[in-house]
Amino acid sequence: MERHQNLQSRRYRWTVFACALAVLVVAGAEALRWAHVARSKAVPTLPKAVSSGRVALSELSRSHIPMPQGVPSAHASALTALAGDRMLAFWWAGSRESGPDVKVYASRWHNGGWSPPWEVASRASLGKALGFGVRRIGNPVAWTDRDGRIHLYVVATGLGGWAASRVAHMISADHGASFDVKRVLPMSPLFNTSVLVRTNPVGTGDGGWWLPVYFEIGIKYPMLMAFDAEGDPTWLGRIGERTTTLQPAIVPVSNTEVRAWMRDASDEQRVQHVTSRDGGHSWEDQPPLNMANHDTSLAVIRLSSGQFLMLHNPVEAGGSSRSTLRLSISNDSHSWRTVADVARGPAGDEFSYPTMQQVGDELHVTYTHQRQSIAHHRYRISLGDTI
């Protein structure tokens, strides 16, 4: 009996050793693969400034994107511009976050209105295409390439929670009517898990783009994945050294200088800020902004006039972390002033996960409204005094 137990014990130790070795080999291979990839010299695309003057924003309309019938919860919208001043919105909707019935939906903006929504992805469709079980799906992020193809990135998990997530890359060649699953993005040495997406990609001069991503298991940190013009990943890099920031909003300032603002999961509770001076290859942590951030997602873009716009959740007396959604503007990306409160309610209300797109002379804003729908505000952008 003792000999049998010793044999079982040795087998168990060898099994544990073999599993640990396999994990180390995979982790090492992944680390070496990304460490030795030649990084592209492509620089980010800058908006063509039409004026350095101040900007006036006048609200044109506010509405809600049509929801699928009988679906009570919605969250995490994303926008991508199409030719002809058109636009697509993506979001997830279902009975609740992480619910088995959650699906990613899309709607098209054209001629001043939103189309009825259609289904883009579900647990079943992603699981069938990827070849493994998908337990839940989450944040979508979209990018339209120079050939008009739409690249959609969707968070999907197998076992475990969001910290065990992967990112599925889907492509549409018919303006979003249908999508084919291209790959699971190779972003983590932990079998490509524990990485998520949330914020807008940034175009590069060679027709490629940068996709902001973030790692979240135990610690949290932002990263950047670069794609070439064909939509293939070329390199992956970490943004800054902090271990409590996520969901980076990346904005180019010049051909070499890039800045990013992040959601803060630390005790500082401020908007975190990093800068790159070599085109996104290395990043330096900056002091946090004097703007509250109680672990909430934000959005930042640069207008064609050169100013920076930020959508964020300030925390005010009598409110809560997501009960106010504010639009702020900056000329230098350091000092910010309030433009308007896009949404405001009592403590416990939720107006969160904002995103923005400039389409022509209009600014489009979408955000989660009370976890029940996706709200849409439209502003006219003109020169003058900022409201």
Side-chain angles (χ1 to χ4, degrees), residues 100-112:
D101 59 345
V102 166
K103 300 176 181 179
V104 173
Y105 292 91
S107 178
R108 180 175 289 104
W109 173 264
H110 186 53
N111 290 333

Side-chain angles (χ1 to χ4, degrees), residues 2-13:
E2 182 178 350
R3 180 180 179 183
H4 178 69
Q5 290 177 337
N6 289 337
L7 182 60
Q8 283 187 324
S9 178
R10 285 198 299 270
R11 286 177 176 172
Y12 174 76
R13 289 196 297 269

Side-chain angles (χ1 to χ4, degrees), residues 182-197:
K182 176 73 172 178
R183 59 167 68 87
V184 172
L185 292 184
M187 293 195 295
S188 165
L190 299 175
F191 304 100
N192 294 328
T193 62
S194 308
V195 182
L196 302 88
V197 293

Side-chain angles (χ1 to χ4, degrees), residues 43-185:
V43 297
T45 303
L46 300 175
K48 296 180 180 179
V50 297
S51 171
S52 59
R54 292 166 70 90
V55 171
L57 298 177
S58 53
E59 189 172 59
L60 298 175
S61 65
R62 60 174 62 191
S63 61
H64 291 255
I65 298 175
M67 284 277 287
Q69 285 191 338
V71 178
S73 181
H75 192 40
S77 58
L79 297 173
T80 189
L82 305 177
D85 288 346
R86 297 175 300 153
M87 188 171 53
L88 287 179
F90 299 90
W91 71 99
W92 67 250
S95 58
R96 56 178 173 80
E97 183 172 347
S98 303
D101 59 345
V102 166
K103 300 176 181 179
V104 173
Y105 292 91
S107 178
R108 180 175 289 104
W109 173 264
H110 186 53
N111 290 333
W114 291 103
S115 71
W118 68 91
E119 180 184 323
V120 170
S122 67
R123 292 195 315 158
S125 66
L126 282 181
K128 181 179 180 180
L130 296 173
F132 61 82
V134 173
R135 182 182 180 188
R136 65 188 78 189
I137 58 177
N139 301 347
V141 167
W143 176 256
T144 303
D145 69 22
R146 62 184 180 184
D147 295 324
R149 295 177 302 173
I150 299 167
H151 299 257
L152 183 66
Y153 303 95
V154 177
V155 173
T157 74
L159 298 176
W162 293 124
S165 63
R166 300 174 177 178
V167 177
H169 180 187
M170 308 171 65
I171 300 178
S172 174
D174 55 10
H175 310 293
S178 63
F179 283 85
D180 294 321
V181 176
K182 176 73 172 178
R183 59 167 68 87
V184 172
L185 292 184

